[in-house]
Each structure stands twice: as structure tokens, then as C-alpha cells.
Amino acid sequence: MTMNRRFFLGAAAGTLATMGAAAPNPASAQTARPTASGQSLDYRSVSELRALLDARKVSAVELFEHAVGRIEALDLRINAVVVRDFERARASAREADAALARGERRPLLGIPMTVKESFNVGGLPTTWGLPSGRDWQAPEDAVTVARLKAAGAVILGKTNLATAIADWQGFNPIYGTTNNPWDIKRTAGGSSGGSAAALAAGYVPLELGSDLSGSIRAPAHLCGVFGHKPTSNLVPQRGHAPPRASALPTDLTSGLGVCGPMARTAADLSFALDVIAGPDEAEAAAYRLTLPPPRHGALKDFRVLLVDNHPLLPVEGEIRAALDQLANRLAAAGAKVARSSPLLPDMAESARLHTRMVRNFVAFGSPPEFFKKAQEEVAALKPDDDSLKAWRTRAPLLNHHQWMAGEIARARLRQQWAGLFREFDVVLCPPFSVVAFPHDQRPDGEQRTIHIDGETHPYPSLIVWSTVATPPGLPATVMPVSRSKAGLPIGVQIIGPLLEDRTPLAFAALLEREFGGFTRPPEMQL
């Protein structure tokens, strides 16, 4: 199927403009109750649930019923789990209990979870929030979903996303708006907004998301959970495709897009990555995955570079203050912390590179009139206009030679980052320039604005912090580290060396152990 612009930018403008947040329903509150075995299951991690299941202190059916009860009680306010597959999930939970009784042990056997709607799950709809996909059901599971099921996961359903997975807010004309559990008047982020909200609301301990321009990292930051953008091509993407598209064993984004886990602990991210990573079956005959171990096992041994300012968009003062405090605590713990380095690649050029390649990719297959209009808009630009908006405008018209020049620029970026990571082990930076903001569903993203410390900036410029790790294909882990004065989550993005995913994941686990991690939203104290 042709991948055209409708899949990324198209939507029913009138529908989006009138779509609002789900109304609060105080009567839907569910109290935290123990199971029949006396175990309280609210906000348990995969590791904790795995131990309870293996010790037969709780059953997979009990975990299923607890998760479903919480979804049914709270999701009218949040609207995270938009495709529900509870009957098949109940049957899977029963099968898991039978397997456990036989002595079987698999990494996720009996663990309830949900996946982003953009992943194919056999027999369930995959729409990407597009009306054109409303009546289509996937014939088979995506590779990642199949691996999760093979590991024993009980898939309850699918979570909401941005239209065509192309926004930092989670709303679309099919499923409506996902609200942030920390404040339902604010966005949970996008495009994996439903995934992050489901975790923050305590429905499930594990989620599967995807990330092209921060779609895992931004929602994790905005909802106060953990997310990991793996190294490019580490996790197969077959079956993560628009409705009716062929499930091909290839990455149409040239390594810019990835699939990755989301959770409430760093350990669960690592756990899930072990399950889903590795070559597609079409390549597995020749390749095996062996990730290097983390560089260090203690915070005091890490060499850390903190970058909290981007040349193309400011960062909210509260976010910078939180990262500054984190850097000070790391230094006090014995880590070597630097605030600048001449080895850091040009972040402005990286942002421009990412913008022109992603925008060119999403324009593929658009009708002739789209390109005619693009030509007119480019002709109106000044030749020396180097703004992100100018590159968004020019991007659809890049020819093959210009695309290849972009690939060469990405290769040079990888070389530069390799040099930096000979001097540092991780780079810390913001995942996003702002904390969770009020819903803004104006159809034209170019007309939206974002407010940063009293100043107004273009909404599309929020892309900048995702463009640090994405063009070179680096792994990046996001975790919560603080809260704003308004009580909203603030996260940190931990970027690691290429193919050394275990290093940022281990660093996140050490931060979590020393300074704390996920905290449930006050509204979810139920």
C-alpha cells in the first residue's frame, strides 16, 4: 500500500477541532483492594508480579481481573485503552495459570499488558486514528506483539495514539482524546500518549510504544513514567504499519523510527527489551543479538555530560532547574559531571537534518497538488532561511541525491557521537521543552503555539529534543526525576552510545535506586 501523507498529517479537520477531553466521572473511582489471596496489586512492577505468580501467591486470572477492573473504573476519565480484547485476554490468563501449574516459567507468563494501537494484533483493528482504517482488522500479530505473547504476556487491548502517530498529543477522530492522569485537562503526550497514561493510571505494568520524533520519550516525560527508545533497528518493526499496509520486514523510516518498551521501572524496560529485541525472523538465520553489558555498575563511575539548552528552542526554567539539581546530586555521589563539551555535535544542524528527512518521508506518495503547493511555498522562502519552519516547507521536495546527502550527514553524526562517548558514558538532557500542557486540538499544527516561561514559540519546534538522539540512531531512556511547582512530572533523557542500550538503562536504574523514580498521580490514589 502506498504510504502517503494522509497517514501522517491527514485528519478530519472538523472532527479534530471539536474533539474535547473526556468528562470527569468521580463516581468511577475504584478503591485499592487486595485480591482473594490478600495481595494488593496496584502499581506493581513486572518483577514483583512475576515473583507473586511464580510463588503461586496470585493467579494470572486475578491479575487480569484487577487490571480490567481498574480500566473499567477509571478509563472514562483517561481514555487510554481504546481497543479492548478482554474475552481473549481472560482465556490467555487461564492458559497462563494452567502453564504455571505445570511448572512452566516464561519471562512474561501471566503478566497483563497493553500495546499501542499502531501495532498489529491479529483480529483487532489497526487504524492509526485514521477514518480510512476504521473497518480494517490485522490478520496477524506484529513481530514485537508475537514475541510478547510467546513470552507469556496477556494482551488486554490497545492504547490510544495521535492521528497517524504524528503529534505530541494523543487524540484522533476514531477514539477521541487521551487525558493525562496527573491533570485530565492536559495532554498525556503523543504519539504513544495512551501507552504512557495507562502506565501512570496503574492499569498495567508494561506497554509497547513507538518513536520517530519523541513518541515514546515525550509521553513518558509528560506522564512521569519510563520509556526507552532503542538503538535503530534493534527491535523489528514488521507489523507496525498503517491500516491495510503490507507487513514487510523492512524499516521504511531508514532507521529513524523505532519500537520500544514503556514501563514504571528501569528494570522492567530492560526486561521487556530482552523479549522484543533481536533480528526479524527473516534475518535471524544469519544474525544474533548480543548487547554489550553496561559500562559501569555504580553512579560514581559514570562520566556524565549534561546538556540543558537547545539553540533552537528554550527549555522551561523548572525543567532546567530539575536537571541542574540532578547533576549536583550526581556529582555529590561521585560521578564526573560536565556541563559542556566541544565534542558535542551541532544540535541545531541535527534538528534541521531530522526535520527535513522526516518531513520528506511523510510526504511520500502525496498527490501532485500537494507537491505543487509545496513548490509555491518554497518559492516564497528566502534562500538563506535556515529556520525549522523553512526546512519543514522544503523537505517534501528533497530529491534522491539530497536524501543520500542526509544519510551521509547521519553517518558523520554517528562518528561524532562515537568520539564523544569515548570521553563520556551518558548524556543527560531534557526529553521535551515543557511539562504537560493543556489540550490544543487546532487542526493545523503550524497555527498552534507553546508557552515557555511567558514567551510564545511555534508548536512544531517541540521536535528539537527528540532530534538529538534520533538522527544518529542512539539509544535513549527517559525517566521521571522531579515535579514542577504545579505538581506535574519532569523527566530526564539519558542518551547512550550506539548499540549500548544497557548503559542508559543501567544508569536509569541506578538513578531510580538512589533518588527515586515513578510516583503515582494524586488523582490515582484510589
mmCIF file of all heavy atoms in Angstrom, residues 302-308 323 327-328 330-331 335-342 420 423-424 426-428:
data_model
loop_
_atom_site.group_PDB
_atom_site.id
_atom_site.type_symbol
_atom_site.label_atom_id
_atom_site.label_comp_id
_atom_site.label_asym_id
_atom_site.label_seq_id
_atom_site.Cartn_x
_atom_site.Cartn_y
_atom_site.Cartn_z
ATOM 1 N N PHE A 302 30.417 6.764 36.567
ATOM 2 C CA PHE A 302 29.941 7.296 35.283
ATOM 3 C C PHE A 302 30.523 8.666 34.978
ATOM 4 O O PHE A 302 30.667 9.514 35.864
ATOM 5 C CB PHE A 302 28.407 7.390 35.283
ATOM 6 C CG PHE A 302 27.724 6.114 34.884
ATOM 7 C CD1 PHE A 302 27.443 5.141 35.839
ATOM 8 C CD2 PHE A 302 27.354 5.879 33.576
ATOM 9 C CE1 PHE A 302 26.810 3.958 35.489
ATOM 10 C CE2 PHE A 302 26.721 4.703 33.207
ATOM 11 C CZ PHE A 302 26.453 3.743 34.159
ATOM 12 N N ARG A 303 30.833 8.866 33.712
ATOM 13 C CA ARG A 303 31.232 10.174 33.189
ATOM 14 C C ARG A 303 30.024 10.749 32.462
ATOM 15 O O ARG A 303 29.556 10.190 31.471
ATOM 16 C CB ARG A 303 32.418 10.030 32.243
ATOM 17 C CG ARG A 303 33.665 9.411 32.893
ATOM 18 C CD ARG A 303 34.652 8.953 31.840
ATOM 19 N NE ARG A 303 34.089 7.924 30.971
ATOM 20 C CZ ARG A 303 34.662 7.504 29.843
ATOM 21 N NH1 ARG A 303 35.816 8.030 29.433
ATOM 22 N NH2 ARG A 303 34.093 6.561 29.109
ATOM 23 N N VAL A 304 29.505 11.855 32.982
ATOM 24 C CA VAL A 304 28.199 12.379 32.569
ATOM 25 C C VAL A 304 28.358 13.756 31.935
ATOM 26 O O VAL A 304 29.055 14.629 32.483
ATOM 27 C CB VAL A 304 27.251 12.479 33.778
ATOM 28 C CG1 VAL A 304 25.902 13.042 33.365
ATOM 29 C CG2 VAL A 304 27.094 11.115 34.449
ATOM 30 N N LEU A 305 27.704 13.954 30.801
ATOM 31 C CA LEU A 305 27.612 15.278 30.189
ATOM 32 C C LEU A 305 26.165 15.747 30.282
ATOM 33 O O LEU A 305 25.250 15.047 29.842
ATOM 34 C CB LEU A 305 28.040 15.231 28.720
ATOM 35 C CG LEU A 305 27.852 16.533 27.916
ATOM 36 C CD1 LEU A 305 28.696 17.660 28.499
ATOM 37 C CD2 LEU A 305 28.168 16.313 26.446
ATOM 38 N N LEU A 306 25.949 16.910 30.889
ATOM 39 C CA LEU A 306 24.608 17.494 30.983
ATOM 40 C C LEU A 306 24.457 18.582 29.929
ATOM 41 O O LEU A 306 25.278 19.501 29.837
ATOM 42 C CB LEU A 306 24.376 18.097 32.371
ATOM 43 C CG LEU A 306 23.066 18.882 32.536
ATOM 44 C CD1 LEU A 306 21.863 17.942 32.457
ATOM 45 C CD2 LEU A 306 23.045 19.660 33.836
ATOM 46 N N VAL A 307 23.397 18.486 29.128
ATOM 47 C CA VAL A 307 23.067 19.495 28.117
ATOM 48 C C VAL A 307 21.629 19.920 28.368
ATOM 49 O O VAL A 307 20.710 19.115 28.209
ATOM 50 C CB VAL A 307 23.208 18.923 26.689
ATOM 51 C CG1 VAL A 307 22.883 19.986 25.657
ATOM 52 C CG2 VAL A 307 24.595 18.351 26.467
ATOM 53 N N ASP A 308 21.415 21.151 28.788
ATOM 54 C CA ASP A 308 20.059 21.567 29.142
ATOM 55 C C ASP A 308 19.568 22.776 28.347
ATOM 56 O O ASP A 308 18.552 23.376 28.679
ATOM 57 C CB ASP A 308 19.956 21.860 30.638
ATOM 58 C CG ASP A 308 20.841 23.023 31.088
ATOM 59 O OD1 ASP A 308 21.584 23.565 30.249
ATOM 60 O OD2 ASP A 308 20.796 23.372 32.280
ATOM 61 N N LEU A 323 17.048 19.415 36.253
ATOM 62 C CA LEU A 323 18.231 18.740 35.732
ATOM 63 C C LEU A 323 19.503 19.249 36.403
ATOM 64 O O LEU A 323 20.449 18.485 36.614
ATOM 65 C CB LEU A 323 18.312 18.908 34.227
ATOM 66 C CG LEU A 323 17.172 18.271 33.417
ATOM 67 C CD1 LEU A 323 17.490 18.291 31.928
ATOM 68 C CD2 LEU A 323 16.893 16.849 33.869
ATOM 69 N N ALA A 327 22.167 16.971 38.377
ATOM 70 C CA ALA A 327 23.609 16.988 38.127
ATOM 71 C C ALA A 327 24.387 17.189 39.423
ATOM 72 O O ALA A 327 25.430 16.547 39.646
ATOM 73 C CB ALA A 327 23.946 18.086 37.130
ATOM 74 N N ASN A 328 23.884 18.059 40.277
ATOM 75 C CA ASN A 328 24.551 18.302 41.553
ATOM 76 C C ASN A 328 24.532 17.049 42.435
ATOM 77 O O ASN A 328 25.526 16.734 43.107
ATOM 78 C CB ASN A 328 23.879 19.462 42.281
ATOM 79 C CG ASN A 328 24.138 20.801 41.596
ATOM 80 O OD1 ASN A 328 25.114 20.968 40.865
ATOM 81 N ND2 ASN A 328 23.255 21.762 41.822
ATOM 82 N N LEU A 330 24.368 13.979 41.349
ATOM 83 C CA LEU A 330 25.282 13.014 40.756
ATOM 84 C C LEU A 330 26.731 13.322 41.128
ATOM 85 O O LEU A 330 27.510 12.416 41.456
ATOM 86 C CB LEU A 330 25.127 13.009 39.236
ATOM 87 C CG LEU A 330 23.871 12.328 38.692
ATOM 88 C CD1 LEU A 330 23.685 12.634 37.215
ATOM 89 C CD2 LEU A 330 23.961 10.815 38.918
ATOM 90 N N ALA A 331 27.089 14.602 41.080
ATOM 91 C CA ALA A 331 28.442 15.000 41.451
ATOM 92 C C ALA A 331 28.715 14.646 42.909
ATOM 93 O O ALA A 331 29.807 14.166 43.261
ATOM 94 C CB ALA A 331 28.639 16.482 41.201
ATOM 95 N N ALA A 335 30.019 10.938 40.723
ATOM 96 C CA ALA A 335 30.096 10.886 39.265
ATOM 97 C C ALA A 335 30.868 12.091 38.732
ATOM 98 O O ALA A 335 30.875 13.164 39.338
ATOM 99 C CB ALA A 335 28.693 10.859 38.659
ATOM 100 N N LYS A 336 31.523 11.926 37.610
ATOM 101 C CA LYS A 336 32.192 13.026 36.939
ATOM 102 C C LYS A 336 31.174 13.705 36.031
ATOM 103 O O LYS A 336 30.706 13.110 35.063
ATOM 104 C CB LYS A 336 33.382 12.519 36.125
ATOM 105 C CG LYS A 336 34.125 13.611 35.384
ATOM 106 C CD LYS A 336 35.264 13.031 34.551
ATOM 107 C CE LYS A 336 35.968 14.135 33.762
ATOM 108 N NZ LYS A 336 37.049 13.570 32.900
ATOM 109 N N VAL A 337 30.820 14.948 36.331
ATOM 110 C CA VAL A 337 29.757 15.648 35.612
ATOM 111 C C VAL A 337 30.329 16.881 34.917
ATOM 112 O O VAL A 337 30.972 17.720 35.559
ATOM 113 C CB VAL A 337 28.613 16.069 36.561
ATOM 114 C CG1 VAL A 337 27.519 16.802 35.798
ATOM 115 C CG2 VAL A 337 28.028 14.849 37.278
ATOM 116 N N ALA A 338 30.091 16.974 33.613
ATOM 117 C CA ALA A 338 30.490 18.150 32.829
ATOM 118 C C ALA A 338 29.244 18.842 32.309
ATOM 119 O O ALA A 338 28.219 18.202 32.040
ATOM 120 C CB ALA A 338 31.388 17.741 31.664
ATOM 121 N N ARG A 339 29.329 20.160 32.159
ATOM 122 C CA ARG A 339 28.185 20.947 31.686
ATOM 123 C C ARG A 339 28.332 21.366 30.227
ATOM 124 O O ARG A 339 27.415 21.947 29.662
ATOM 125 C CB ARG A 339 28.025 22.200 32.549
ATOM 126 C CG ARG A 339 27.949 21.920 34.056
ATOM 127 C CD ARG A 339 26.570 21.477 34.470
ATOM 128 N NE ARG A 339 26.458 21.262 35.907
ATOM 129 C CZ ARG A 339 25.383 21.570 36.615
ATOM 130 N NH1 ARG A 339 24.339 22.115 36.026
ATOM 131 N NH2 ARG A 339 25.341 21.322 37.909
ATOM 132 N N SER A 340 29.465 21.074 29.620
ATOM 133 C CA SER A 340 29.677 21.401 28.213
ATOM 134 C C SER A 340 30.817 20.542 27.685
ATOM 135 O O SER A 340 31.612 20.003 28.460
ATOM 136 C CB SER A 340 29.997 22.886 28.025
ATOM 137 O OG SER A 340 31.225 23.211 28.646
ATOM 138 N N SER A 341 30.876 20.439 26.350
ATOM 139 C CA SER A 341 31.971 19.711 25.719
ATOM 140 C C SER A 341 32.075 20.128 24.254
ATOM 141 O O SER A 341 31.063 20.201 23.552
ATOM 142 C CB SER A 341 31.741 18.195 25.793
ATOM 143 O OG SER A 341 32.704 17.508 25.013
ATOM 144 N N PRO A 342 33.284 20.377 23.773
ATOM 145 C CA PRO A 342 33.467 20.690 22.349
ATOM 146 C C PRO A 342 33.190 19.475 21.461
ATOM 147 O O PRO A 342 33.076 19.637 20.242
ATOM 148 C CB PRO A 342 34.939 21.111 22.272
ATOM 149 C CG PRO A 342 35.600 20.451 23.438
ATOM 150 C CD PRO A 342 34.562 20.430 24.520
ATOM 151 N N LEU A 420 32.515 11.390 21.129
ATOM 152 C CA LEU A 420 32.062 11.931 22.423
ATOM 153 C C LEU A 420 31.977 10.818 23.461
ATOM 154 O O LEU A 420 32.373 10.997 24.620
ATOM 155 C CB LEU A 420 30.716 12.617 22.249
ATOM 156 C CG LEU A 420 30.120 13.256 23.512
ATOM 157 C CD1 LEU A 420 29.365 14.542 23.153
ATOM 158 C CD2 LEU A 420 29.161 12.316 24.238
ATOM 159 N N GLU A 423 34.779 9.823 25.717
ATOM 160 C CA GLU A 423 35.055 10.696 26.868
ATOM 161 C C GLU A 423 33.939 10.669 27.909
ATOM 162 O O GLU A 423 34.164 11.002 29.071
ATOM 163 C CB GLU A 423 35.259 12.139 26.383
ATOM 164 C CG GLU A 423 36.401 12.305 25.393
ATOM 165 C CD GLU A 423 37.748 12.009 26.021
ATOM 166 O OE1 GLU A 423 37.903 12.276 27.234
ATOM 167 O OE2 GLU A 423 38.633 11.494 25.309
ATOM 168 N N PHE A 424 32.734 10.319 27.493
ATOM 169 C CA PHE A 424 31.583 10.282 28.390
ATOM 170 C C PHE A 424 30.863 8.946 28.227
ATOM 171 O O PHE A 424 30.987 8.276 27.204
ATOM 172 C CB PHE A 424 30.609 11.429 28.083
ATOM 173 C CG PHE A 424 31.191 12.801 28.297
ATOM 174 C CD1 PHE A 424 31.727 13.516 27.231
ATOM 175 C CD2 PHE A 424 31.213 13.367 29.562
ATOM 176 C CE1 PHE A 424 32.268 14.775 27.418
ATOM 177 C CE2 PHE A 424 31.753 14.632 29.769
ATOM 178 C CZ PHE A 424 32.286 15.338 28.696
ATOM 179 N N VAL A 426 27.303 8.692 29.372
ATOM 180 C CA VAL A 426 25.919 9.055 29.074
ATOM 181 C C VAL A 426 25.828 10.566 28.917
ATOM 182 O O VAL A 426 26.643 11.327 29.467
ATOM 183 C CB VAL A 426 24.929 8.599 30.181
ATOM 184 C CG1 VAL A 426 24.825 7.087 30.239
ATOM 185 C CG2 VAL A 426 25.315 9.175 31.539
ATOM 186 N N VAL A 427 24.821 10.996 28.157
ATOM 187 C CA VAL A 427 24.498 12.420 28.020
ATOM 188 C C VAL A 427 23.088 12.617 28.572
ATOM 189 O O VAL A 427 22.155 11.915 28.174
ATOM 190 C CB VAL A 427 24.568 12.871 26.556
ATOM 191 C CG1 VAL A 427 24.067 14.311 26.408
ATOM 192 C CG2 VAL A 427 25.999 12.766 26.033
ATOM 193 N N LEU A 428 22.951 13.555 29.493
ATOM 194 C CA LEU A 428 21.641 13.872 30.067
ATOM 195 C C LEU A 428 21.116 15.149 29.437
ATOM 196 O O LEU A 428 21.845 16.136 29.303
ATOM 197 C CB LEU A 428 21.746 14.063 31.583
ATOM 198 C CG LEU A 428 22.408 12.955 32.398
ATOM 199 C CD1 LEU A 428 22.281 13.262 33.883
ATOM 200 C CD2 LEU A 428 21.791 11.603 32.078
#
